[in-house]
């Protein structure tokens, strides 16, 4: 695949037939609880006597924190990716590596075979980034490798979708990191 084709599609921005975004009910319920707690804090603040200004200020700050957290969670955490054939949630993750692993990682990702190996060492940051989508049950996986060049990560490989056996092996690889 040419470099131009690789640059057009990145893993987190592309679509797959069996992956869809769904409403995350537990996240919405949790956000609703935060909103209710924030409202309760504001209501209690109005019922406090004038002499308890310290408690009033504390409840105002607490209520504001609850409401801001609720708004954040409603807008950014209320959806999740789901692998439709099994109904399993998909987690998105980026793993960083030292450039000394570039050749081996490029080959492994291109083949779609990430084997658990004690040689692999991830780091907090690095010039190689492996983007991974993995279902909780290990029946779906997708990977793509990037290299940091000119202040941005550029794709080194195309998106590789993993079969069920490859996905389970890649999940073991992720656990060993």
């Amino acid at each position: 695949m040419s470099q131009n084709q690789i640059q057009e599609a990145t893993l987190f921005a592309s679509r797959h037939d069996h992956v869809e975004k769904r409403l995350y009910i537990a996240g919405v319920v949790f956000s609703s609880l935060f909103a209710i707690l924030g409202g309760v804090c504001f209501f209690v603040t109005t019922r406090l006597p004038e002499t308890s200004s310290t408690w009033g200020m504390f409840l105002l700050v607490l209520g504001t924190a609850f409401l801001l957290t609720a708004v954040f969670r409603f807008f950014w955490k209320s959806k999740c990716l789901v692998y439709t054939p099994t109904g399993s949630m998909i987690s998105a993750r980026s793993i960083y590596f030292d450039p000394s692993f570039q050749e081996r990682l490029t080959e492994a990702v291109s083949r779609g075979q990430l084997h658990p190996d004690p040689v692999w060492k991830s780091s907090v940051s690095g010039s190689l980034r492996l983007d991974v989508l993995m279902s909780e049950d290990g029946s779906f996986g997708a990977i793509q490798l990037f290299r940091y060049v000119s202040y941005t990560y550029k794709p080194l490989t195309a998106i590789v979708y993993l079969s069920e056996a490859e996905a389970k092996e890649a999940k073991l690889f992720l656990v060993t990191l």
Side-chain angles (χ1 to χ4, degrees):
M1 185 174 247
S2 75
Q3 187 67 15
N4 289 339
Q5 288 176 327
I6 290 174
Q7 287 180 351
E8 290 175 8
T10 61
L11 181 59
F12 295 152
S14 67
R15 302 228 182 264
H16 186 273
D17 293 339
H18 297 297
V19 175
E20 69 179 29
K21 236 179 201 183
R22 290 187 184 166
L23 186 65
Y24 183 48
I25 301 297
V28 172
V29 169
F30 195 61
S31 299
S32 300
L33 288 174
F34 271 124
I36 290 168
L37 284 172
V40 167
C41 286
F42 283 124
F43 177 75
V44 170
T45 302
T46 63
R47 299 293 179 214
L48 287 177
E50 296 290 327
T51 57
S52 61
S53 64
T54 305
W55 280 107
M57 289 304 293
F58 173 74
L59 286 174
L60 281 176
V61 169
L62 190 64
T64 302
F66 279 139
L67 287 177
L68 288 175
T69 303
V71 168
F72 170 76
R73 291 190 58 83
F74 272 130
F75 286 107
W76 289 281
K77 301 285 185 179
S78 63
K79 300 263 182 177
C80 65
L81 292 175
V82 175
Y83 183 54
T84 53
T86 62
S88 178
M89 285 182 55
I90 295 175
S91 61
R93 182 175 167 191
S94 292
I95 306 164
Y96 298 91
F97 293 93
D98 189 74
S100 62
F101 294 113
Q102 180 176 343
E103 190 174 313
R104 289 185 63 206
L105 267 174
T106 303
E107 183 180 322
V109 169
S110 296
R111 286 185 288 135
Q113 297 175 340
L114 293 176
H115 301 291
D117 190 345
V119 174
W120 301 111
K121 299 229 186 308
S122 64
S123 60
V124 176
S125 64
S127 64
L128 290 179
R129 184 183 81 193
L130 179 65
D131 286 351
V132 179
L133 289 178
M134 187 66 60
S135 65
E136 287 178 350
D137 62 0
S139 59
F140 172 80
I143 53 177
Q144 186 175 21
L145 186 65
F146 295 84
R147 179 175 177 102
Y148 189 76
V149 180
S150 301
Y151 303 106
T152 187
Y153 281 96
K154 301 209 186 256
L156 282 177
T157 63
I159 299 170
V160 177
Y161 294 100
L162 306 173
S163 68
E164 191 166 331
E166 292 169 337
K168 288 186 186 211
E169 196 165 333
K171 192 167 184 161
L172 286 172
F173 168 80
L174 294 173
V175 169
T176 61
L177 292 178

